[in-house]
């Protein structure tokens, strides 16, 4: 995988865009602290994307990219963007800074560029440049007419407003898999049926009896948070109430505890779904894994009480087959056999949480994504929910954690579930996505 390989996630990319001669290159030099970009009054001096490392005042790194001026009237308007090189630069952005010439005021071309950027679904900040001039200062309100939530007024030439822009960029940088910034731990929801050993597992991870353990199902009523630090990384382990089937949940307090468990999934980054190896896979185990996928959480399957079956090869073989067959939609998730009682395999859980957390933040390079999808469309024609064929023209990843891919097509219609599964499988063949849900949305391409 290029850019988002099996190791660290691709660096956060901040891309400067705008009409020619609005001051993008000067802003690039200011933020990067270099003179790499050529600054000249003549429009179009930046022909190709120029990128380089940059750091916020807080020391956090990112990649800064300066693009050539966007002339929507050149070579067929927006079609000029769709050369793979040009569009990929913008589509691979994690944050777009739309640079505007405040001295010239808001022009129709600026509005058109803003409209096209909005279709990509990327976060955009309007940067009102040249506020060292009276005209730009007096016209700053015009920048808000574009409808972007955040507007920053700067002078790239003199450094005015740089601190505000720097702080905004830093606020958009994602937390790393180890909980940065601020030492915030990775939230991990431990979920499963009653009495499968969730609390015992949390205690085994922590190395202390922090959570009450009992043979009586339903002992844990509320979600219990336990902070655990291992080396340089920290985790927020949330031990949740056991989730019964709806028909068996009659006690009002127990119903509330199941609601709390599902809410814990929503605030988690990783869901550790625990099931009882000695009892085998039940329908409710599959339902709970489905809740985790529905919540869009990274997923790790843990077979607890493995010590009760490990000496029976036929049982262990059958259990592994059942995991593959019953967890159909999560079959790429890692399956860990453990015993909270003996400690067997428990030490593998947190390293796998780290690994799936990194995969959860995967970003697909736009060019590679589109080449992969074109090959997929040759194998199977895209189909919408109605069953009619979709004409998909381009794809852009608009979010990670979990990955969301926006497909630009001849009409806005959800993918047919079988075709969506087909695309997910093609992505999983090309990128390390074990245990990570992948979402698609289809929008109309004007």
């Amino acid at each position: 995988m290029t850019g988002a390989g099996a190791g660290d996630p691709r660096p956060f990319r901040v891309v400067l865009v705008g009409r020619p001669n609005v001051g993008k290159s000067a802003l690039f030099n200011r933020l990067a602290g270099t003179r790499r970009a050529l600054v000249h009054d003549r429009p179009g001096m930046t022909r190709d994307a120029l990128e380089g490392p940059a750091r916020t005042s807080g020391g956090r790194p990112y990649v800064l990219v300066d693009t050539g001026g966007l002339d929507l009237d050149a070579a067929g308007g927006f079609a000029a963007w769709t050369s793979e090189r040009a569009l990929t630069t913008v589509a691979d952005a994690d944050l777009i800074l739309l640079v505007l010439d405040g001295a010239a005021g808001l022009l129709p071309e600026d509005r058109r560029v803003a409209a096209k950027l909005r279709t990509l679904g990327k976060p955009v900040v309007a940067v009102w440049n040249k506020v060292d001039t009276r005209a730009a200062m007096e016209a700053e309100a015009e920048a808000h007419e574009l409808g972007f939530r955040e507007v920053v007024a700067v002078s790239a030439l003199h450094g005015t407003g740089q601190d505000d822009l720097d702080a905004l960029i830093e606020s958009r940088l994602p937390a790393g898999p180890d909980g940065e910034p601020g030492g915030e731990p990775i939230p991990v929801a431990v979920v499963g049926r009653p009495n499968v050993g969730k609390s015992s597992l949390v205690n085994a991870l922590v190395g202390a009896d922090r959570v009450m353990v009992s043979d009586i199902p339903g002992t844990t009523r509320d979600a219990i948070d336990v902070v655990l630090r291992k080396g340089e990384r920290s985790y927020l382990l949330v031990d949740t109430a056991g989730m019964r089937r709806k028909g068996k949940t009659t006690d009002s307090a127990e119903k509330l505890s199941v609601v709390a468990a599902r809410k814990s999934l929503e605030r988690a980054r990783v869901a550790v779904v625990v099931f009882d190896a000695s009892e085998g896979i039940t329908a409710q185990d599959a339902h709970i894994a489905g809740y985790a996928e529905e919540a869009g959480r990274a997923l790790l399957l843990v077979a607890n009480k493995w010590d009760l079956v490990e000496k029976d090869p036929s049982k262990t073989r059958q259990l592994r087959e059942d995991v593959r067959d019953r967890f159909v939609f999560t079959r790429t998730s890692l399956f860990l056999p453990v015993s909270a009682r003996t400690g067997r395999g428990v030490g593998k859980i947190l390293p796998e949480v780290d690994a799936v957390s990194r995969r959860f933040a995967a970003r697909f390079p736009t060019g590679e994504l589109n080449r992969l999808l074109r090959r997929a469309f040759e194998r199977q024609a895209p189909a919408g929910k109605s069953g009619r064929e979709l004409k998909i023209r381009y794809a852009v990843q608009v979010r990670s954690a979990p990955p969301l891919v926006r497909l630009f097509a001849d009409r806005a219609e959800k993918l047919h579930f079988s075709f969506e599964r087909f695309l997910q499988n093609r992505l999983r063949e090309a990128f390390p996505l074990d245990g990570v849900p992948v979402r698609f949305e289809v929008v109309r391409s004007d």
Side-chain angles (χ1 to χ4, degrees):
M1 175 177 174
T2 304
D8 295 331
R10 177 178 65 83
F12 192 86
R13 295 172 68 84
V14 178
V15 177
L16 307 174
V17 300
R19 292 185 295 106
N21 212 34
V22 295
K24 297 185 301 298
S25 296
L27 187 59
F28 177 93
N29 289 338
R30 176 68 61 179
L31 291 173
T34 70
R35 295 282 298 176
R36 288 186 61 194
L38 184 61
V39 179
H40 198 282
D41 289 338
R42 181 187 301 168
M45 290 300 293
T46 303
R47 296 289 186 183
D48 298 312
L50 173 67
E51 66 177 65
R55 285 185 179 272
T56 65
S57 58
R60 299 196 64 201
Y62 62 96
V63 172
L64 185 64
V65 184
D66 182 21
T67 61
L70 297 176
D71 184 354
L72 298 187
D73 293 320
F78 189 55
W81 271 29
T82 57
S83 68
E84 188 167 299
R85 184 171 187 177
L87 182 57
T88 295
T89 300
V90 180
D92 274 346
D94 297 299
L95 176 64
I96 297 172
L97 303 184
L98 172 57
V99 185
L100 306 162
D101 184 343
L106 194 64
L107 301 182
E109 291 89 340
D110 297 318
R111 298 180 187 277
R112 292 167 62 199
V113 170
K116 294 304 180 183
L117 290 177
R118 197 172 283 112
T119 66
L120 295 178
K122 301 283 184 174
V124 179
V125 175
V127 180
W128 191 250
N129 192 23
K130 306 184 182 180
V131 292
D132 50 310
T133 66
R134 180 185 294 273
M137 290 180 62
E138 293 177 348
E140 182 185 336
E142 294 180 13
H144 295 271
E145 295 177 14
L146 295 176
F148 296 118
R149 187 179 67 179
E150 292 164 315
V151 176
V152 181
V154 306
S155 168
L157 190 61
H158 296 101
T160 305
Q162 181 183 354
D163 290 345
D164 293 337
L165 184 55
D166 181 83
L168 189 149
I169 292 171
E170 182 152 20
S171 72
R172 291 302 189 100
L173 295 176
D178 56 356
E180 291 183 5
E184 295 180 2
I186 304 175
V188 180
V190 183
V191 296
R193 293 184 293 110
N195 215 36
V196 295
K198 298 183 301 297
S199 297
S200 297
L201 193 61
V202 170
N203 287 336
L205 287 167
V206 176
D209 292 331
R210 297 283 300 277
V211 179
M212 179 167 47
V213 177
S214 171
D215 289 335
I216 303 172
T219 302
T220 303
R221 292 287 193 183
D222 301 313
I224 300 171
D225 292 1
V226 178
V227 176
L228 170 63
R229 188 162 186 88
K230 291 285 187 180
E232 297 299 317
R233 295 188 175 173
S234 56
Y235 310 84
L236 177 64
L237 304 178
V238 184
D239 180 27
T240 62
M243 302 168 86
R244 295 179 183 271
R245 284 188 293 134
K246 287 184 179 178
K248 293 191 175 182
T249 308
T250 55
D251 179 74
S252 59
E254 189 169 348
K255 288 181 180 179
L256 289 175
S257 69
V258 173
V259 170
R262 295 196 67 172
K263 285 188 176 296
S264 295
L265 280 173
E266 293 174 4
R267 66 186 177 97
R269 184 179 180 89
V270 179
V272 175
V273 178
V274 184
F275 59 94
D276 187 333
S278 66
E279 295 181 3
I281 310 299
T282 69
Q284 183 62 0
D285 292 324
H287 282 312
I288 293 169
Y291 294 149
E293 189 195 41
E294 183 181 323
R297 303 304 90 190
L299 188 65
L300 189 62
L301 302 175
V302 172
N304 191 27
K305 307 183 185 180
W306 193 258
D307 54 306
L308 300 181
V309 300
E310 63 182 341
K311 294 181 179 179
D312 188 334
S314 63
K315 278 189 177 180
T316 58
R317 183 173 58 254
Q318 184 62 51
L319 187 59
R320 292 181 187 279
E321 291 176 359
D322 287 347
V323 167
R324 186 185 65 249
D325 294 339
R326 299 296 293 273
F327 295 120
V328 174
F329 44 83
T330 58
R331 60 176 46 165
T332 61
S333 302
L334 191 66
F335 162 52
L336 290 180
V338 308
S339 169
R341 185 179 68 84
T342 66
R344 181 202 192 283
V346 172
K348 296 180 180 179
I349 293 177
L350 293 182
E352 291 302 336
V353 165
D354 292 340
V356 75
S357 183
R358 286 192 295 270
R359 295 193 294 271
F360 193 59
R363 296 186 181 94
F364 314 133
T366 303
E368 189 173 345
L369 173 65
N370 280 274
R371 287 189 291 274
L372 183 153
L373 292 180
R374 280 196 293 269
R375 292 193 297 270
F377 300 158
E378 290 171 359
R379 292 176 55 183
Q380 184 171 328
K385 188 176 181 180
S386 65
R388 292 170 51 210
E389 184 175 347
L390 278 167
K391 297 186 184 302
I392 298 175
R393 300 187 175 96
Y394 212 81
V396 173
Q397 183 182 359
V398 297
R399 194 180 66 210
S400 61
L404 172 64
V405 175
R406 177 169 293 173
L407 303 172
F408 293 85
D410 58 331
R411 66 184 188 278
E413 180 183 342
K414 288 185 176 181
L415 294 178
H416 191 277
F417 75 92
S418 63
F419 183 72
E420 181 175 39
R421 190 68 67 191
F422 169 76
L423 285 190
Q424 289 170 342
N425 290 337
R426 301 295 75 75
L427 283 173
R428 294 183 191 284
E429 290 170 359
F431 303 102
L433 293 170
D434 291 352
V436 176
V438 180
R439 303 281 190 261
F440 296 93
E441 67 175 14
V442 183
V443 299
R444 181 176 174 177
S445 176
D446 295 324

